[in-house]
Amino acid sequence: MKNYDKYRIGYFVPPVNEYDWVKKDHIEKAPRWCSVDLRDGNQALIVPMNLEQKLEFFTYLCEIGFKEIEVGFPAASDTEFEFLRTLIEQDMIPDDVTVQVLTQSRRHIIEKTFESLVGAKHAVVHLYNSTSFAQRQQVFRKDKEEIIKIATDGAELMNEIAARYTDTDFEFEYSPESFTGTEPEFALEICNAVIDIWKPTPEHKVIINLPATVEMSMPHVFANQVEYMSKNLHSRDSVVLSLHPHNDRGTGVADAELGLLAGGDRIEGTLFGNGERTGNVDIVTLAMNMFTHGVDPELDFSDMPRAVEMFEKFTDMTVDPRRPYCGSLVFAAFSGSHQDAIAKGMKWRAETDPTRWTVPYLPIDPHDVGRQYDGDVIRINSQSGKGGVAYIINRDHGFDIPKAMRAEVGYMMKGISDHTHEELSSDEIFDIFSREYINFFSPLDITDATFSYFSSTKEEGEKTVAVRMRVVIDGEVYNIDAEGNGRLDAVANGLKKTPYNFDYRFITYTEHAISTDSSSKAAAYICIADKDGHEYWGVGTQYDITLAAVNALVSALNRMNKKEHMVK
């Protein structure tokens, strides 16, 4: 990067920086939202939307709660004019929704803009002209007074022409386009000149929109510019201060958030940030950021997958899998430590306060945006850990793997994923777990076991367990009677009566019901160790917990046999 020295700071700081916005730590209420998907977003597409797509997109924007929607530049093309006329003539604009149209400060364009709105109940007419130093110098080659005259001439024309259309409730908006490259004192001067012509009142306000047409500064500088304007605009109680951040520096959301703290009342933006060049402010991210702070964004993204689907359908663009709140992978945790913390956090929430969301690593509950824990949260690959694997097996299949067993199972899954270079699905994980641990009946199998109990003469209160069992080893059948001081001890003593040397000791045993209904299966987990201390886990299932324990022991012995070769 050898040419950095040809660049200079292109923004202008206000004459006074008060930094009152810094004293606020979060946004306390939703702004007025205005979607510009159908104008700014549409003009950024390689293939702009056709009429049918625009109409369907407009309906969807109304469904999710937008009350102000910029529908285009009706004087610029027949397509945009026809779109607006279709909305009005087919009565597609809800009574509580206001359409917004853009116009340059030229008489024939303003006149056609008002013609396009005939029959609309409510409308925002948005006047703009560029005010930046670079545009004044290079594009228009006009001085400040000439640029102000463009704006004030347009404002006067709008007063004059709107008076002819008394059936529509108009709200006027003015944008000093390229505000971020405009000297703040000049931006203030031109905005106040327009305000003085429109003469707003608290009952009939005007909108002053400050567009970061090109994002040129760090967000705190933009906030200072907004604060300066907010504190010095004429008739401030009769002005809605609107912000239209772009994303050239990748901080459009931050500009919007700090701008709202600095006095902004309204946001113009698009779903997922679509727009010219790097795009507009991402309204989805901005709204969901408020949601995570307990603020109602007054937009409904409870079905985020549908929002993504609709956006991709209309724009032929894709949403990045890591885009906040909406990407396909934003809730996915592959890291072992993250998975463990999420699993523990979910358990803690269920046990303590299900009404609050405080789960580590997940800023929101996936259910709140129409996502599911199944397949969305804990994802298993070679980076995953024991906690994540155990969580998935428990969540999806009801097996609560003992803590001492989790590391072994986790490393097994990591190794398989590492070897295949693929993510493992929940079904694949359980299939591997089942084949390796559950009811593993070869070459040893105990096909039948009947237990009975009798009092011992050795010690008062102590009971001995007797077992009659049918054992199959490598195809040979053995009918065995044995005794022990417990069920598994009796089985162990019975196995010693076979020709094979099953030399092991018990390490641990645990059990639980897989489901809570009356016909539920039981799961048993047994760990045994060979003479060298190597441990082997087995899992057994059966409707009878006693037989589930027998199956777990058999599974552990068969896994041990793969190394010790007790049965050749």
Side-chain angles (χ1 to χ4, degrees):
M1 301 297 290
K2 298 178 181 178
N3 297 321
Y4 62 89
D5 57 351
K6 73 180 180 184
Y7 297 97
R8 294 288 185 274
I9 289 171
Y11 59 84
F12 301 87
V13 297
V16 178
N17 289 316
E18 298 187 33
Y19 286 102
D20 284 345
W21 60 268
V22 178
K23 300 169 187 175
K24 305 172 185 177
D25 65 272
H26 72 285
I27 297 166
E28 296 182 347
K29 66 176 183 177
R32 280 174 54 174
W33 299 106
C34 178
S35 162
V36 295
D37 291 87
L38 293 168
R39 194 271 300 173
D40 205 344
N42 184 51
Q43 72 186 23
L45 301 178
I46 296 173
V47 179
M49 288 176 267
N50 59 36
L51 178 60
E52 290 71 23
Q53 288 174 313
K54 284 185 173 185
L55 294 172
E56 189 177 355
F57 201 174
F58 178 85
T59 299
Y60 177 68
L61 292 170
C62 293
E63 284 178 12
I64 59 179
F66 282 101
K67 302 303 180 187
E68 298 174 45
I69 302 172
E70 189 170 82
V71 294
F73 199 149
S77 73
D78 291 340
T79 301
E80 300 215 345
F81 189 92
E82 180 188 7
F83 171 47
L84 178 54
R85 293 311 309 159
T86 302
L87 289 175
I88 295 170
E89 291 168 9
Q90 294 189 11
D91 198 22
M92 295 181 66
I93 305 171
D95 288 343
D96 62 346
V97 172
T98 299
V99 291
Q100 176 171 305
V101 291
L102 192 67
T103 180
Q104 294 175 337
S105 183
R106 300 167 68 184
R107 175 175 285 274
H108 72 283
I109 293 178
I110 293 174
E111 285 183 341
K112 189 167 184 180
T113 299
F114 278 92
E115 288 171 13
S116 72
L117 290 166
V118 171
K121 297 182 179 69
H122 315 282
V124 173
V125 181
H126 182 180
L127 173 72
Y128 77 97
N129 67 306
S130 190
T131 60
S132 71
F133 176 80
Q135 294 248 28
R136 298 194 317 262
Q137 181 187 61
Q138 300 169 39
V139 180
F140 299 106
R141 302 195 177 192
K142 293 180 182 292
D143 59 25
K144 291 180 179 179
E145 289 71 22
E146 291 173 301
I147 296 296
I148 291 174
K149 191 173 190 315
I150 292 173
T152 54
D153 283 352
E156 288 170 350
L157 274 171
M158 285 172 59
N159 277 344
E160 173 192 328
I161 297 171
R164 307 174 197 162
Y165 298 92
T166 56
D167 292 337
T168 301
D169 177 23
F170 291 112
E171 188 172 9
F172 291 168
E173 175 176 352
Y174 173 69
S175 287
E177 196 213 353
S178 300
F179 165 75
T180 45
T182 304
E183 306 91 319
E185 302 96 316
F186 179 56
L188 180 66
E189 182 182 0
I190 196 168
C191 288
N192 279 336
V194 171
I195 291 170
D196 291 345
I197 290 169
W198 283 341
K199 294 180 172 55
T201 66
E203 294 73 35
H204 198 266
K205 297 183 179 184
V206 299
I207 301 168
I208 295 296
N209 185 55
L210 304 179
T213 312
V214 179
E215 192 180 36
M216 305 179 76
S217 69
M218 295 174 70
H220 76 286
V221 174
F222 181 68
N224 284 339
Q225 293 169 335
V226 172
E227 184 176 70
Y228 172 76
M229 295 292 289
S230 178
K231 289 187 173 183
N232 292 283
L233 286 171
H234 292 177
S235 307
R236 183 62 182 91
D237 64 346
S238 303
V239 171
V240 176
L241 187 58
S242 179
L243 310 177
H244 186 129
H246 277 246
N247 199 44
D248 301 85
R249 291 172 55 90
T251 56
V253 169
D255 283 343
E257 291 184 320
L258 299 190
L260 289 174
L261 295 182
D265 305 306
R266 182 178 184 265
I267 292 290
E268 295 186 350
T270 57
L271 298 183
F272 310 110
N274 178 38
E276 290 278 25
R277 305 183 315 278
T278 56
N280 293 279
V281 63
D282 178 354
I283 283 183
V284 173
T285 300
L286 186 57
M288 292 306 301
N289 282 354
M290 296 177 196
F291 185 79
T292 66
H293 285 168
V295 175
D296 181 2
E298 299 177 11
L299 293 174
D300 184 3
F301 295 116
S302 59
D303 190 352
M304 193 69 77
R306 182 165 181 256
V308 172
E309 177 189 356
M310 298 293 272
F311 170 79
E312 293 183 341
K313 170 184 174 181
F314 297 131
T315 66
D316 201 29
M317 299 176 72
T318 57
V319 172
D320 188 276
R322 298 291 184 190
R323 182 176 284 275
Y325 304 109
C326 58
S328 60
L329 294 177
V330 297
F331 298 111
F334 293 99
S335 161
S337 61
H338 288 208
Q339 292 174 342
D340 184 59
I342 290 170
K344 289 174 179 174
M346 300 279 272
K347 183 178 181 181
W348 185 90
R349 178 173 179 264
E351 293 172 348
T352 57
D353 187 359
T355 66
R356 303 290 294 177
W357 184 261
T358 59
V359 176
Y361 295 113
L362 296 180
I364 65 167
D365 183 344
H367 284 164
D368 288 336
V369 288
R371 299 282 289 272
Q372 302 298 318
Y373 300 138
D374 181 10
D376 273 335
V377 179
I378 305 293
R379 305 277 289 270
I380 303 302
N381 64 12
S382 60
Q383 305 300 306
S384 305
K386 60 183 181 180
V389 172
Y391 175 78
I392 282 182
I393 292 174
N394 185 18
R395 178 196 67 190
D396 296 344
H397 305 284
F399 286 79
D400 188 7
I401 300 174
K403 288 184 179 180
M405 185 185 182
R406 292 176 187 176
E408 178 179 308
V409 177
Y411 279 117
M412 179 176 66
M413 300 299 174
K414 282 164 63 80
I416 293 171
S417 178
D418 194 29
H419 179 73
T420 61
H421 301 288
E422 292 181 350
E423 179 186 356
L424 298 179
S425 70
S426 172
D427 288 342
E428 288 172 326
I429 290 166
F430 188 67
D431 183 57
I432 295 166
F433 178 72
S434 298
R435 285 188 278 108
E436 181 66 27
Y437 292 101
I438 302 176
N439 295 345
F440 184 4
F441 295 152
S442 178
L444 166 66
D445 191 9
I446 298 176
T447 61
D448 187 36
T450 303
F451 294 92
S452 58
Y453 304 84
F454 57 92
S455 298
S456 169
T457 58
K458 297 176 183 177
E459 260 185 59
E460 185 179 349
E462 185 176 328
K463 291 188 177 181
T464 299
V465 177
V467 64
R468 173 164 290 178
M469 60 186 187
R470 183 175 184 269
V471 181
V472 180
I473 304 176
D474 201 23
E476 293 291 325
V477 177
Y478 303 89
N479 292 300
I480 298 170
D481 292 315
E483 298 176 4
N485 59 16
R487 294 166 299 179
L488 296 179
D489 187 51
V491 172
N493 291 334
L495 291 174
K496 290 176 183 178
K497 295 182 178 183
T498 69
Y500 300 93
N501 180 26
F502 293 103
D503 185 8
Y504 66 92
R505 59 188 175 87
F506 284 103
I507 300 298
T508 187
Y509 169 81
T510 187
E511 63 186 41
H512 66 80
I514 297 177
S515 59
T516 57
D517 57 53
S518 59
S519 61
S520 64
K521 279 187 177 182
Y525 308 80
I526 283 180
C527 182
I528 60 175
D530 63 19
K531 60 183 182 298
D532 297 320
H534 298 121
E535 296 183 353
Y536 304 91
W537 283 92
V539 182
T541 61
Q542 237 285 355
Y543 290 102
D544 185 312
I545 188 59
T546 300
L547 298 181
V550 172
N551 289 344
L553 175 60
V554 170
S555 298
L557 286 167
N558 282 320
R559 294 190 69 247
M560 184 173 124
N561 183 70
K562 288 195 292 184
K563 180 180 179 182
E564 298 293 330
H565 305 295
M566 301 166 291
V567 181
K568 303 297 184 183

